[in-house]
Amino acid sequence: MRRKMAAGNWKMNGLQDNLAELEALAQSYGDADCDILICPPATLIHRASSVCGDGIAIGGQDCHNAETGAHTGDISAQMLKDAGATHVILGHSERREDHNESDNHVRLKARAAIESGLKVVICCGESLEERETNNTLDIIGGQLAGSIPDQVTGENLVVAYEPIWAIGTGKVPTLDQIGDVHDFIRARLVRRFGDGVGLSTRILYGGSVKPSNAADIFGVSNVDGALVGGASLKAEDFGQIIAALASS
Ligand code: PGA
């Protein structure tokens, strides 16, 4: 049985004042029957990890593929870990677009993160044009093949399927569309890594998940949780999503 995961991606949101929200979440849901991960901006990782205790894991939103060096403004996997992170999101579509990150970049970053002892949440997802031209599965297959390094185990890899057109838009694919992609990702993981890794890797859905649609999405086959942006910023909303997941 795969343990479900509710992951929050705060993106470029959050100041020290928002840590109270996190503390409230940890108190109410820290012992929920699912893994909870919050990925705040890098500036809050250290404080967030001390506020949350063991009930909520803290992750970064990106890391560099090198251990150290002349990379102004970048953060290494080891630095994330040193600050208290246990996970890192890699290959989010906003990074792929804003920073021209290719599958190859993502794979190198993921390898560095795993070597530093972090667990990786690797994102994939198609654009609206790619969906409308029936290229969704080709795109996802290519992203998985190119972005996931060979070193993964069922423990240190989480895959997040996030259709780009659903992120922050309020638009959500139909449950059948979500199921088709998640089944496809599962089959690709099994084909490449075998049953051990393939069947134990969690696959999260992301893109406009909110309290009102969470339970339906969590009922879809091979959906093991969610990667939540906007609705993870409010403890009340994210709490409802966690509760829906824990009882799914
Ligand atoms: P959203 O973002 O929940 O605000 O749509 C999801 C994500 O980008 O991870």
Side-chain angles (χ1 to χ4, degrees):
M1 263 304 268
R2 292 180 293 273
R3 189 166 160 83
K4 314 241 163 179
M5 174 183 263
N9 172 13
W10 282 14
K11 309 190 179 184
M12 201 172 70
N13 299 288
L15 300 172
Q16 303 208 37
D17 282 354
N18 301 89
L19 292 169
E21 200 92 353
L22 205 51
E23 209 168 354
L25 195 71
Q27 270 163 15
S28 307
Y29 295 97
D31 57 0
D33 195 13
C34 62
D35 287 347
I36 304 174
L37 168 67
I38 294 282
C39 300
T43 47
L44 291 182
I45 287 176
H46 185 59
R47 288 206 51 203
S49 68
S50 49
V51 159
C52 284
D54 291 337
I56 298 184
I58 298 297
Q61 299 173 10
D62 175 54
C63 68
H64 198 278
N65 61 278
E67 262 179 53
T68 54
H71 302 290
T72 303
D74 277 314
I75 295 176
S76 72
Q78 241 178 346
M79 290 169 183
L80 291 178
K81 184 141 191 267
D82 187 49
T86 51
H87 294 66
V88 61
I89 297 171
L90 293 170
H92 190 284
S93 58
E94 288 153 13
R95 300 262 347 151
R96 290 178 186 264
E97 193 176 317
D98 294 356
H99 300 272
N100 278 325
E101 286 187 9
S102 64
D103 291 335
N104 195 39
H105 280 128
V106 177
R107 194 179 72 254
L108 294 175
K109 286 169 183 237
R111 200 171 69 187
I114 288 168
E115 279 166 4
S116 295
L118 294 178
K119 297 175 181 177
V120 295
V121 180
I122 296 183
C123 302
C124 60
E126 81 287 3
S127 67
L128 188 57
E129 193 195 335
E130 287 159 350
R131 174 157 288 275
E132 285 175 349
T133 50
N134 283 326
N135 284 314
T136 299
L137 298 184
D138 280 351
I139 293 293
I140 303 293
Q143 289 172 339
L144 296 174
S147 305
I148 301 178
D150 291 333
Q151 292 82 355
V152 294
T153 65
E155 268 292 295
N156 65 23
L157 172 67
V158 175
V159 173
Y161 167 54
E162 299 205 307
I164 298 168
W165 51 276
I167 294 176
T169 59
K171 290 186 197 144
V172 181
T174 65
L175 300 180
D176 282 348
Q177 287 172 327
I178 294 175
D180 286 349
V181 177
H182 279 242
D183 289 351
F184 172 81
I185 293 172
R186 175 74 59 216
R188 282 296 163 101
L189 291 172
V190 168
R191 191 175 84 177
R192 176 165 166 200
F193 297 106
D195 281 356
V197 174
L199 296 179
S200 53
T201 296
R202 270 96 47 101
I203 307 174
L204 311 183
Y205 168 77
S208 296
V209 176
K210 41 188 188 260
S212 59
N213 61 18
D216 285 344
I217 293 171
F218 296 147
V220 174
S221 83
N222 281 313
V223 172
D224 302 310
L227 178 56
V228 184
S232 72
L233 296 171
K234 291 191 209 119
E236 204 188 319
D237 287 352
F238 196 52
Q240 287 180 50
I241 293 170
I242 293 167
L245 183 63
S247 62
S248 69

